[in-house]
Structures are given as C-alpha cells and as structure tokens.
C-alpha cells in the first residue's frame, strides 16, 4: 500500500504542485451510506467498501473545507474501489497504470453533485466506448496526413466528411483532399481532389444531408453534390470566393424548419406533441414564402459574404464589413434567430479582447443581394476579469454557439500551453434602472422599465487539460425547466451534453448548461492493448489526441479524427452510464426512433445501442405508437416505419425472417402504388374516385372467390394500357404471381414464425392489396396474355390465376377483420397442401447479401478497419442469412427491376447503404411505365437508404 501511494504521488507531482497534494499514508476507502440526495461518503481510514462496477456515486461529496475533493477510482477486472484524498488543485484528471490496475484521478467540486457512475470498465453499463476505428494504409508514397486545421462534418444521413493533405511522390506540395464516407461502410471512402489551393478551413452539410460546403484559407467556397444520387460519387455544383481572405466560419442559410423534442411528453401518444414545430423564419424567402438557399461565411479580415442560389442556377454574392472598424477575426461562429436574422460571433484570438457579436440581415433588392449589419452587446471572458487568473489563459481557442438556431448561448474556451478553461454564456434581457430625475421628467418611464440585452455567464469549468476539439449536440431538445427536470429524473441525456477532447487523449461529455462532467473516455482505452500504456506515457513524444470531433444528429455517437489521421467511432450511452431498467432504456431508444421517423433522418447511430434482447419489444412498441397516430400521418410514415422495423430485426438472429417480410411489404406497397397510378379514368373530368380507389372499394365490397365475378363490377376501360407498357411491367407482374403462390404454399407451415412470409398470413391489408393486383393482372391478361405471370404447372388445362385468387380470397376472409381474426379452415389448408404437387414453387430472393457493420458492432470489442479494404465477413455471419440470400457464386439479380444479371454482371450497379439492395445504374428499358417505377427509387432506395456505386469486384 505504501508503494502504491508513493507511485501515485510521483505521478501526480509531475502535473501539480506537491505542496497542495499530500496523500495520506493509509489509502482511504469510501463507504456509501444509503442512496439519493442524502447519501454521503465516509472518509474514515478504518472503514471501507468495495464498489461494484456500474454502481452510482452518492448524491453529494461531503464538505472537506478544501477547494476540491479528489477521488481516485481504481478499475480492476472484477470491481472498483474509491480512494479518497484531499487536494487544493482542481480541474485536472490524472491517469496511471500499475500492475494491470488502472488508476484514475477525477477532481470534483465539493459542493456539486457527482453525475455519472463509478468509472469501472467491467460494469453492465458503459458510458462511452469505441465501436470501430478506421485508418489509412501506411505506405510511404501514398500517405494521407492530417490537415492543419483538421475539419470534420456529420450529416443527418449519417455521412461523414473530413479532410486530409495528401503528399505526392516528390513530396514537394500537398493536395487538399475531402473524404466522404457512410458510417455503415467506413472503408468505402470517396476521396475528392477538392481543387482548393490552400488548406480547407470549414466543412458544412445542408439540412437534407445531400450537399456539402467547403471553404479554404484563400477565400474560396465550393458547393458539392452527389453525382447520380450516389453517396460515393460527388461533384462541384457552384461556388464563390473572397480573393485571398481566409474563411474562418461557414454555414448554410436557415430554411425555417425547427423542431423541439419535449422529454416531458415522451409518454404522450401524439407525435405532434412530442416533436413540436417551433415558429422560426427562414433567413431569406422567395416569392410565396419558400426559403431561399445559400450560404454565409466570415473571413479573417472581418468581412461577411453571402451567396444565394437562385432557382435558375445563378449565384448572387455580396460582401460587407461586419463593422466600420475592421479588425482581425481569428475565431468566428454563425447562428440564426427566430425572426430570420443572422448572428455572427467573432474574436481576435486574445482572451483580453472582447468577444464581439453582430446581427446580419440579408435581402434581395433589384436582383442583387444586400447585407446590413448591426453591432450587438459584447462580452469579456470571466477568466480574464478574475485577478487570480488574469494572464493565465492568454488565447481563446474555441468559440461556438451551442446550437445553430440558438443565438442566445455561446461556449468559449481559453487556453495556455498546458491547460484550458471553458465558459458558457447566455444573452438575457435585463431591466435598465432609470435615475429619479428622468422619472420626474417623463412619468411614463416608471410604468415600463426599459430593457437591454446583456451577456451573463451561466457556468465555467475549473482548470482542465488543454482542449483540442469541441463537438456540439445537434438534437433540438427543449431546454425548459420542466423538460430538463424530467430528463434528469429519467436519465435521458441525449442533446444535453457536449463533447470536449483534450491533448492528453481523453474525451469528456459535459452538460451544455452547467458544464459538469457527465462521461469520460480515457485515451489509453482507445490504444492497442499490445502496447504498454505506462511506457508510452513516459515517452517524450506528444500524446495522440483528437483534432476534430463531431456528434451524430441524435447525440448517441461521436466521431473523432486524431493526430495520426485515424477515424474513431464512439458510442455514447443515452443514460450516460446510469443503470436503468429495461422499460426505461427501451423508452429512451423509442423516443429517438420516433424522432428519426418524423424528421426522416437516418437512425444508424441509434442501432449502435440496440441489443438482440431489445429488438422484439422495440419493434412492438414502435408499431403500437405508430397505430396511435391519425390516418394521414400513418400513410406518410408507412414505408419509413417498415424500413425502421427491418433494420431493427437485422440485429437479432431470431427475427431475421421478419426482415424478409418487411422488405417484401415495402416492395409490394411500391408496386401497388405504381401500377394503380397507371390507371386513367374513362372520363377525365369525372368527380368520382380514382380508378385505384374504386378498385380497392369494389374488391373489399365483393369478397367473391371467383375473379371473373369481381371483374364484372369494374369499368374495364379504365385498365386499358398499350402493349409496350404491359410488356415492360412483366417482371413486376411475375413477382406478384410468384409471391402469391409462395404464400399460399407456405400456409400449412403457418405455425412456424421462422419462415419468411409468416406475417403476411395474418396481414389483412397486404392480402387485400394482393387481391387487387391479381384482379388488375387478370384484366391486363385479356389485353395481352404474354404479360401474365408464368407458372410451371403439372396440368395445362387448369386456370392458375383463378385457383390462386380463390385460395387467396379465402385466406383474406380469415383476417380481414383485425379485431376478430379467425384461423384458416381445414379445407383451405388441405388445398394449399396440394399446391406443391400442382405447381413448381418458386424460390424467393428475400434479402440482398449486405456487408454492413451494424450487426457486428454489438460486441463491446472495437473493430479495426482500414480505408479502401472491406473487412472479411466472419464465418458465423452467413449462418442466419444463407437461407434467405443468394450465395456469391450464384447469378446476381437486380432486386428492384427483378432482372437477372448473371454471375458476372457487365452493367455498372449500385447498392443501398442501409438494406443492401442492388440495382443497375442505367435503365435498360425506356418505357414510360418503367421510368415511373424507377422514379420511386432514383434518389434513395425503397427503404430510404442512400445509394452507393458498387465496386468493380462485384462484376
């Protein structure tokens, strides 16, 4: 024990003044008395208790009379112990390793509550951990080195863009590269030679996640967009420039769309109450109130430049000085107000200078862009006004608004060579006292006190390790007192924390308002275990740390780029490591899934936290909440919830067959909408329902098992299509016929939920859709018999369509009433048992063979990947999929056009980043009906996932 204390003292003495830090000879262990706010710590040297990993710290730290209480947490394989020691130095975290035992020193304010849990890596709940890392192939002549400064951006579609500088073979100059990757396939990185002559200083995604802005130190701004809607193919669309003036801040103009997540109403059924629309004006509008697209940038010389994208493709650009007296701008950030104005914060880099704020108004006058600026109240950092720390932190290193659409709160970091301090400021309205003389002269003044805007400090940290990067939350959580209280009570922290990366390699999540530490990830936990940490700490080389940090749009993941150019994906617990019951954990994930369903954002980062045991309950609760919405909203979200269910069910082997069903439902809904849209009323000006609506009404009204009797009640002239159109739809029609035959043939095995198609046998809506499509196909078969589905039957005389329609109708009758479903009768099951002897049952290509990562990230062991090299699929990954996918040696298939491509396809193909569907890049058919079908998935897959071009190795 004495040796342990001496070792700790020697480690701490390197960072702190030893006069402040005197360790006791006996290690003091903590004993927790009770729970809740009244819990306290015993600092008696004779009392001690072992703290199980995952157990929470007590509510408060006892008053010690010192400036801070330093808690040492020793983490071992089985449990953790709290070691107490008093210190006069606060704001530092120390880490040491001795004999395989990791010891961490966490400074805590004596009067503030300890948030978080015991930092024990062996616990059931983990605050932050590494999901995967991806790095460049270290070749001497093709190396990518991190750019200075290193910038990174994360879109709402879970695309990540970052920069590097690539050396050429002669290493005389650098090529400034932009890399874009999908989080599900990080090795498939698309590298763009940006064409920027100087280092790239800013990257910014638009609200839709489909366009990217880049700016450099020469004043050039470029707008990038997808080529053919491919996530791994990009091209420059437009641009602007301010000659020779480096860009220090960049942002898209606000489109006026803002939501607020109300944690208080997370249990309410209506999505409109959970996610309310906030009244927010766009930065600039076109005729009719449509928001105008464009971007705004701030230069190092104090200029603000605005570029507007007109609908005809023309770019309007204007440049104006922020104020009459221009000065150097080292740091800047941009935010927006609800009234449509823009707020710009600037700083010259010195902590002794004020942080200036400006209001910027953009307008279009006589087809020209006009900029008006106005000075707002400024502030001085608290650390510079404190006499004890006046000259201790000379430089302002980070200046960030806490949110793009919240200009009233700003985060500032001031640093010296070793340490930093962070401060959070808020802009408030305050009353201005009026002298009695003026009150007598103007009696009306006393009735209404004049108000002024003034910056007030919300919170500040103690002395921290030097901050290297900051990541702000993008989740628009409501910050009312009630919502924050409910979030704290339920331990729902997404959107409430911001991330700080330090030069010692550690990452902290701190509360966005109080700046109290909520979670910690230590740098040594991200390093390869084969390298001894203790030896590395003694090395004179600088510690590897993150230079760029970005949060996902639900704040459940964090991406960092370190000094070696390696990308690390971090999981962030929604409860910040607090042990929660299963019901509460599911409610947290369900709330965020609903948010993604409403907004259309990608939910990949939520899937990082879903365990196989959660999948079934999460899918059921998601469906339950969906059915509580009104009919119009259900129709809008119908395909999105199917995609969400499919991605959830992929995470559990027991629900993999349900993935097949959800993909088939997506395909069925899309085919039904496309085919019905081809129908035209016989009289164009008829006020009656559309032909598709009448078809649905009649099929539900006449539950006849004879398909010809149902046809009699329809106006067949509305179903007339030209012959080339019918012939071009034959592959889709064939899929419908094969799918009906497969479902009916699988009815005798309906007791097995492990067979694909099981859910269709109880789905009255889907069976009704299939009946309607069978009737349409029957009518079209009278016009062109060659468009009918082809069956391999034992008898040439039987009417296959009539037989299948009769059996399908009898099955539909059993479940048409959702409230009172009944079991199929024995006669129906007997007839379905005979189908394999009458027809050759087709094999359904249920699932594409995906190579995404999400199903492999459930293990807490991080994956180590390399850019440009797909990871080898583990052998057990194919076991649950092999029954429902084509093996790589079988002929390939176009999953959406239902065309066979052969074993070695000659056509270029694209695949979905989410579900893995494969289709050809160019359409082989120019028919109007085929184009209408392809327009449904030209931008995104049927499941909503982005397209990426398949590598040449596919063919």
């Amino acid at each position: 024990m004495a040796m342990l204390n001496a070792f700790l003292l020697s480690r701490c003495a390197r960072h702190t003044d030893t006069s402040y830090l005197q360790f006791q000879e006996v290690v003091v262990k903590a004993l927790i008395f009770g729970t809740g706010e009244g819990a306290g710590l015993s600092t008696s040297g004779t009392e001690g208790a072992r703290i199980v990993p995952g157990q929470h710290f007590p509510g408060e730290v006892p008053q010690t009379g010192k400036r801070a209480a330093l808690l040492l947490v020793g983490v071992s394989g089985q449990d953790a112990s709290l070691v107490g020691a008093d210190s006069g130095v606060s704001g530092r975290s120390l880490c040491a390793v001795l004999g395989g035992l990791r010891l961490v020193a966490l400074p805590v304010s004596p009067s503030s509550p300890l948030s978080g849990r015991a930092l024990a890596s062996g616990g059931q709940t983990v605050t932050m951990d590494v999901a995967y890392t991806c790095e460049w192939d270290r070749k001497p002549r093709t190396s990518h080195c991190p750019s200075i400064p290193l910038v990174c951006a994360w879109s709402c579609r879970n695309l990540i863009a970052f920069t590097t500088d690539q050396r050429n073979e002669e290493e005389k100059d650098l090529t400034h590269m932009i890399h874009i990757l999908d989080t599900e396939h990080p090795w498939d990185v698309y590298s763009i030679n940006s064409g920027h002559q100087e280092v790239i200083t800013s990257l910014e995604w638009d609200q839709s996640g489909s366009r990217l802005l880049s700016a450099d130190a020469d004043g050039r701004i470029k707008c990038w967009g997808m080529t053919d809607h491919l996530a791994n193919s990009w091209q420059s669309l437009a641009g602007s420039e301010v000659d020779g003036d480096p860009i220090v801040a960049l942002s898209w103009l606000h489109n006026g769309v803002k939501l607020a997540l109300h944690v208080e109403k997370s249990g309410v059924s209506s999505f409109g109450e959970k996610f309310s629309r906030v009244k927010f004006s766009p930065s600039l509008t076109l005729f009719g109130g449509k928001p105008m697209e464009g971007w705004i940038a701030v230069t190092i010389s104090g200029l603000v430049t605005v570029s507007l994208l007109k609908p005809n493709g023309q770019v309007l650009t204007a440049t104006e000085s922020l104020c009459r007296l221009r000065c150097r701008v080292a740091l800047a950030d941009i935010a927006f107000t609800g009234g449509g104005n823009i707020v710009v914060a600037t700083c010259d880099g010195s902590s002794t200078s004020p942080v200036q704020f400006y209001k910027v108004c953009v307008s279009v006058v006589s087809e020209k862009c006009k900029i008006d600026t106005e000075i707002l109240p400024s502030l001085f950092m608290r650390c510079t006004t404190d006499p004890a720390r006046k000259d201790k932190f000379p430089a302002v290193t980070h200046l960030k608004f806490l949110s793009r659409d919240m200009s009233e709160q700003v985060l500032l970091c001031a640093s010296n060579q070793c340490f930093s301090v962070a401060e959070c400021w808020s802009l408030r309205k305050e009353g201005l006292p009026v002298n009695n003389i003026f009150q007598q002269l103007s009696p009306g003044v006393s009735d209404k006190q004049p108000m002024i805007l003034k910056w007030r400090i919300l919170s500040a940290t103690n002395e921290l390790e030097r901050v290297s990067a900051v990541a702000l939350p993008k989740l628009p959580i409501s910050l009312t007192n009630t919502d924050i209280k409910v979030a704290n009570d339920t331990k729902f922290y997404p959107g409430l924390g911001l991330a700080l990366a330090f030069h010692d390699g550690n990452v902290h999540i701190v509360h966005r308002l109080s700046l109290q530490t909520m979670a910690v990830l230590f740098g040594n936990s991200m390093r390869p275990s084969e390298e001894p940490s203790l030896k590395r700490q003694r090395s004179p080389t600088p510690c590897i740390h993150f230079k760029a940090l970005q949060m996902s749009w639900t704040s459940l993941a964090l991406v960092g780029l370190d000094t070696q150019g390696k990308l690390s994906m971090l999981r962030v617990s929604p409860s910040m490591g607090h042990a929660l019951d299963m019901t509460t954990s599911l409610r947290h994930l369900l709330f965020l899934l609903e948010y993604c369903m409403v907004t259309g954002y990608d939910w990949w980062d939520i899937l990082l936290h879903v365990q196989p045991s959660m999948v079934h309950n999460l899918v059921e609760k998601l469906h339950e909440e969906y059915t509580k919405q009104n009919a119009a909203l259900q129709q809008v979200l119908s395909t999105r919830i199917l995609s969400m269910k499919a991605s959830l069910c992929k995470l559990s082997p027991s629900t993999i067959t349900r993935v097949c069903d959800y993909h088939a439902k997506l395909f069925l809904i899309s085919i039904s909408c496309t085919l019905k849209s081809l129908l035209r009323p016989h009289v164009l000006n008829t006020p009656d329902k559309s032909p598709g609506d009448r078809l649905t009404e009649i099929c539900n009204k006449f539950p006849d098992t004879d398909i010809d009797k149902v046809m009699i009640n329809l106006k067949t002239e509305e179903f007339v299509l030209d012959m080339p159109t019918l012939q071009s739809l034959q592959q889709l029609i064939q899929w419908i016929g094969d799918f009906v035959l497969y479902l009916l043939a699988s009815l005798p095995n309906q007791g097995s939920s492990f067979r694909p198609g099981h859910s269709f046998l109880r789905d009255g809506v889907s069976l009704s859709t299939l009946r309607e499509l069978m009737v349409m196909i029957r009518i079209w078969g009278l016009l062109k018999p060659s468009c009918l589905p082809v069956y391999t039957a034992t008898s040439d005389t039987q009417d296959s369509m009539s037989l299948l329609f009769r059996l399908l109708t009898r099955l539909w009758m059993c479940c048409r009433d959702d409230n009172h479903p009944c079991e199929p009768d024995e006669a129906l099951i007997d007839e379905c048992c005979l189908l394999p002897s009458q027809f050759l049952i087709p094999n359904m290509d249920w699932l594409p063979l995906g190579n995404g990562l999400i199903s492999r990230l459930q293990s807490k062991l991080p994956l180590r990947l390399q850019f440009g090299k797909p990871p080898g699929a583990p052998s057990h990954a194919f076991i649950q999929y092999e029954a429902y996918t084509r093996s790589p040696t079988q002929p390939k298939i176009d999953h959406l056009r239902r065309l066979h491509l052969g074993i070695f396809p000659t056509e270029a193909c694209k695949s979905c980043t989410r579900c893995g569907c494969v289709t050809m890049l160019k359409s082989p058919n120019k028919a109007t009906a085929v184009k209408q079908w392809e327009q449904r998935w030209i931008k995104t897959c049927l499941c909503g996932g982005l397209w990426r071009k398949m590598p040449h190795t596919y063919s």
Side-chain angles (χ1 to χ4, degrees):
M1 191 65 70
M3 182 183 68
L4 176 61
N5 287 329
F7 174 78
L8 289 174
L9 184 57
S10 65
R11 296 293 301 171
C12 297
R14 300 180 185 179
H15 301 272
T16 64
D17 188 347
T18 56
S19 63
Y20 286 121
L21 189 60
Q22 298 296 331
F23 279 92
Q24 302 175 3
E25 292 184 2
V26 178
V27 176
V28 182
K29 295 184 179 180
L31 182 62
I32 295 180
F33 293 101
T35 59
E37 294 297 329
L41 286 176
S42 168
T43 55
S44 170
T46 60
E47 295 176 328
R50 304 299 286 178
I51 309 303
V52 180
Q55 187 170 356
H56 293 263
F57 278 130
E60 295 182 357
V61 179
Q63 298 288 345
T64 61
K66 304 288 185 178
R67 285 197 288 169
L70 192 63
L71 294 179
L72 297 181
V73 183
V75 181
S76 62
Q78 300 297 325
D79 53 16
S81 60
L82 295 181
V83 183
D86 293 337
S87 168
V89 179
S90 59
R92 311 223 177 111
S93 61
L94 310 175
C95 185
V97 176
L98 179 64
L101 182 69
R102 189 175 68 192
L103 296 168
V104 180
L106 281 181
V108 184
S109 173
S111 58
S112 63
L114 270 169
S115 61
R117 62 176 179 84
L119 297 172
S121 58
Q124 296 297 323
T125 56
V126 178
T127 304
M128 273 194 294
D129 68 309
V130 182
Y132 64 75
T133 61
C134 201
E135 54 188 334
W136 298 100
D137 186 14
R138 298 180 180 178
K139 293 182 180 179
R141 294 188 179 275
T142 59
S143 60
H144 290 267
C145 58
S147 58
I148 302 174
L150 181 63
V151 289
C152 175
W154 194 329
S155 79
C156 62
R157 308 302 300 272
N158 280 322
L159 294 177
I160 294 176
F162 62 99
T163 60
T164 63
D165 292 337
Q166 187 176 21
R167 297 188 183 95
N168 58 10
E169 294 185 0
E170 292 79 14
E171 297 188 2
K172 292 182 180 179
D173 53 4
L174 296 176
T175 302
H176 304 291
M177 308 292 293
I178 299 176
H179 308 281
I180 300 176
L181 57 85
D182 169 47
T183 53
E184 178 73 345
H185 307 85
W187 62 86
D188 186 18
V189 61
Y190 182 74
S191 300
I192 307 171
N193 185 347
S194 65
H196 287 289
Q197 301 301 317
E198 297 293 335
V199 65
I200 299 172
T201 58
S202 298
L203 291 175
E204 192 75 23
W205 289 100
D206 70 343
Q207 192 71 15
S208 66
S210 59
R211 288 179 300 177
L212 178 71
L213 287 178
S214 64
D216 64 12
D218 197 30
R220 297 186 64 188
I221 301 173
K222 290 188 176 184
C223 176
W224 304 89
M226 297 183 191
T227 304
D228 297 328
H229 308 288
L230 298 174
N232 57 353
S233 181
W234 294 77
Q235 61 182 350
S236 179
L237 303 177
S240 63
E241 60 181 320
V242 184
D243 289 335
D245 208 351
I247 305 295
V248 294
L250 179 67
S251 175
W252 289 89
L253 296 180
H254 205 284
N255 60 2
V257 177
K258 181 182 178 183
L259 290 181
L261 276 78
H262 298 281
V263 184
E264 176 194 5
K265 299 180 180 179
S266 59
V268 179
S269 59
S270 172
F271 287 168
E273 296 184 37
K274 293 180 183 180
F275 319 109
S276 64
R277 179 77 178 263
V278 179
K279 187 177 180 181
F280 211 88
S281 299
S283 303
L284 193 63
T285 56
L286 295 167
F287 179 77
K290 182 181 179 181
M292 194 168 189
E293 296 181 328
W295 57 82
I296 178 173
V298 180
T299 69
I300 200 170
S301 67
L303 293 178
V304 57
T305 176
V306 175
S307 298
L308 304 177
L309 298 176
K310 298 187 68 176
N312 59 5
Q314 183 183 358
V315 180
L316 299 179
T317 302
T319 303
E320 186 62 55
S321 176
L322 283 171
C323 61
R324 293 182 180 179
L325 184 61
R326 288 172 60 185
C327 58
R328 178 178 179 271
V329 176
L331 298 172
D333 200 19
I334 302 168
F336 302 91
T337 66
N341 295 322
I342 306 169
V343 178
V344 175
T346 65
C347 178
D348 64 1
S350 173
S351 61
T352 58
S353 301
V355 179
Q356 301 280 2
F357 295 86
Y358 305 91
K359 182 172 75 172
V360 179
C361 301
V362 184
S363 58
V364 176
V365 180
S366 301
E367 294 297 317
K368 291 184 179 180
C369 182
K370 181 183 178 182
I371 302 174
D372 296 312
T373 62
E374 178 184 337
I375 298 178
L376 297 177
S378 59
L379 65 89
F380 283 91
M381 290 192 67
R382 174 66 60 86
C383 64
T384 61
T385 59
D386 184 3
R389 299 188 296 178
K390 185 175 182 180
D391 300 322
K392 194 169 186 179
F393 303 99
V396 179
T397 54
H398 296 86
L399 167 61
K400 296 283 186 181
F401 286 105
L402 290 186
S403 176
R404 279 278 189 232
D405 45 22
M406 186 180 294
S407 59
E408 300 85 11
Q409 293 179 355
V410 66
L411 177 74
L412 298 165
C413 286
S415 306
N416 55 27
Q417 292 294 328
C418 300
F419 303 107
S420 296
V421 64
E423 297 177 0
C424 181
W425 289 75
S426 176
L427 185 65
R428 300 176 181 176
K429 284 186 177 181
E430 295 185 358
L432 182 65
V434 180
N435 193 283
N436 292 333
I437 298 176
F438 297 101
Q439 293 183 10
Q440 294 172 2
L441 294 176
S442 180
V445 174
S446 59
D447 299 335
K448 186 178 181 181
Q449 188 180 24
M451 306 295 288
I452 61 170
L453 293 174
K454 196 168 185 178
W455 287 98
R456 292 291 185 184
I457 189 167
L458 281 179
S459 55
T461 63
N462 295 318
E463 189 176 304
L464 305 170
E465 193 73 27
R466 188 180 179 190
V467 175
S468 61
V470 177
L472 299 173
K474 302 181 181 70
L475 191 70
I477 189 168
S478 174
L479 296 178
T480 63
N481 293 334
T482 306
D483 285 312
I484 292 178
K485 182 180 184 303
V486 174
N488 289 330
D489 293 342
T490 59
K491 303 298 184 291
F492 181 84
Y493 295 117
L496 289 178
L498 56 91
L500 300 177
F502 299 95
H503 276 258
D504 60 0
N506 297 341
V507 179
H508 289 198
I509 303 264
V510 299
H511 198 282
R512 61 186 295 175
L513 299 180
S514 65
L515 298 183
Q516 288 187 352
T517 301
M518 304 168 69
V520 181
L521 179 69
F522 297 99
N524 60 352
S525 64
M526 294 182 284
R527 297 168 186 154
S529 57
E530 61 269 12
E531 301 181 25
S533 301
L534 194 59
K535 186 175 181 180
R536 185 185 297 106
Q537 290 177 2
R538 292 176 178 174
S539 173
T541 58
C543 186
I544 300 173
H545 59 273
F546 289 129
K547 294 179 62 179
L549 211 59
Q550 279 284 320
M551 270 189 172
S552 69
W553 284 65
T554 61
S555 299
L556 294 188
L558 196 64
V559 67
L561 291 156
D562 62 22
T563 50
Q564 294 184 344
K566 182 172 68 174
L567 182 144
S568 299
M569 180 64 65
L570 312 180
R571 265 183 292 243
V572 182
S573 168
S575 63
M576 292 301 167
H578 288 85
L580 301 177
D581 58 274
M582 182 62 74
T583 303
T584 307
S585 299
L586 288 176
R587 189 165 66 244
H588 288 175
L589 297 177
L590 179 66
F591 188 46
L592 294 173
L593 285 171
E594 292 169 348
Y595 169 71
C596 291
M597 191 193 308
V598 171
T599 58
Y601 294 163
D602 191 73
W603 54 87
W604 178 88
D605 47 334
I606 304 177
L607 301 181
L608 288 174
H609 302 270
V610 178
Q611 297 298 319
S613 58
M614 299 180 178
V615 170
H616 178 74
N617 291 332
L618 205 52
V619 170
E620 295 301 321
K621 289 183 179 295
L622 192 65
H623 180 75
E624 181 182 343
E625 293 296 324
Y626 168 78
T627 55
K628 294 178 181 178
Q629 312 308 312
N630 58 63
L633 185 58
Q634 286 190 33
Q635 185 175 3
V636 172
L637 304 178
S638 58
T639 57
R640 201 170 293 165
I641 189 174
L642 289 175
S643 305
M644 196 170 282
K645 289 178 180 179
S647 59
L648 287 169
C649 290
K650 274 187 178 181
L651 303 178
S652 174
S654 61
T655 56
I656 193 64
T657 55
R658 297 173 69 176
V659 182
C660 306
D661 292 359
Y662 292 135
H663 278 290
K665 286 182 182 179
L666 279 172
F667 200 64
L668 177 62
I669 292 173
S670 301
I671 291 179
S672 175
C673 293
T674 301
L675 297 186
K676 287 181 179 179
S677 66
L678 298 175
L679 307 181
R680 294 291 181 268
H682 184 61
V683 181
L684 294 180
N685 60 352
T686 177
D688 201 0
K689 297 179 180 179
S690 66
D693 293 337
R694 280 199 297 272
L695 173 64
T696 302
E697 181 182 7
I698 290 175
C699 286
N700 290 331
K701 184 178 180 180
F702 298 97
D704 204 304
T705 58
D706 190 343
I707 190 171
D708 295 323
K709 291 183 179 179
V710 178
M711 289 170 48
I712 295 175
N713 299 282
L714 294 170
K715 300 177 181 179
T716 53
E717 60 270 13
E718 296 178 341
F719 293 80
V720 175
L721 297 177
D722 56 354
M723 298 305 172
T725 300
L726 291 176
Q727 189 62 41
S728 65
L729 297 174
Q730 208 281 327
Q731 285 81 14
L732 301 182
I733 294 173
Q734 182 67 46
W735 182 87
I736 296 170
D738 290 344
F739 189 60
V740 171
L741 177 57
Y742 173 86
L743 287 181
L744 294 173
S746 63
L747 180 61
N749 296 319
Q750 59 177 319
S752 173
S753 60
F754 297 100
R755 288 178 58 91
H758 171 76
S759 64
F760 279 91
L761 303 178
R762 296 290 186 272
D763 189 354
V765 176
S766 297
L767 294 178
S768 176
T769 302
L770 288 172
R771 284 186 76 241
E772 298 166 14
L773 295 177
M774 293 283 283
V775 173
M776 292 174 61
I777 295 172
R778 180 72 167 189
I779 298 175
W780 287 340
L782 299 177
L783 301 175
K784 186 175 181 60
S786 61
C787 76
L788 290 172
V790 178
Y791 299 104
T792 304
T794 56
S795 173
D796 296 334
T797 58
Q798 69 177 2
D799 188 348
S800 303
M801 289 285 292
S802 297
L803 173 62
L804 294 179
F805 184 83
R806 178 168 58 84
L807 297 178
L808 180 63
T809 302
R810 292 171 61 185
L811 177 60
W812 169 67
M813 291 290 292
C814 297
C815 55
R816 64 181 298 188
D817 188 358
D818 295 335
N819 298 324
H820 303 88
C822 59
E823 293 295 324
D825 54 60
E826 293 296 331
L828 174 60
I829 295 178
D830 290 343
E831 288 192 64
C832 291
C833 286
L834 297 176
L835 288 177
S837 62
Q838 297 171 328
F839 300 93
L840 178 64
I841 307 302
N843 291 323
M844 304 299 295
D845 292 296
W846 291 100
L847 289 177
L849 188 61
N851 61 343
L853 286 181
I854 192 64
S855 58
R856 310 186 206 176
L857 297 178
Q858 295 173 351
S859 171
K860 295 305 178 183
L861 296 177
L863 294 178
R864 300 185 63 181
L865 307 172
Q866 193 170 320
F867 290 119
K869 293 185 178 181
S875 57
H876 61 81
F878 290 100
I879 297 177
Q880 56 184 355
Y881 292 99
E882 59 183 4
Y884 317 116
T885 61
R886 293 191 170 209
S887 68
T889 58
Q890 288 182 318
K892 310 295 191 303
I893 187 173
D894 187 320
H895 293 97
L896 299 183
R897 295 186 179 92
R898 309 310 302 177
L899 296 175
H900 293 271
L901 305 178
I903 299 180
F904 302 105
T906 57
E907 296 290 331
C909 297
K910 60 184 178 181
S911 67
C912 175
T913 57
R914 185 181 292 160
C915 69
C917 278
V918 176
T919 185
M920 287 183 289
L921 271 175
K922 296 181 179 180
S923 174
N925 198 321
K926 303 300 181 182
T928 304
V930 174
K931 289 182 179 180
Q932 191 169 343
W933 164 244
E934 292 174 351
Q935 283 297 319
R936 300 188 65 88
W937 39 267
I938 185 102
K939 293 184 178 180
T940 60
C941 179
L942 294 178
C943 70
L946 293 173
W947 293 114
R948 66 187 183 105
K949 189 175 181 180
M950 295 286 287
H952 296 295
T953 54
Y954 180 74
S955 57

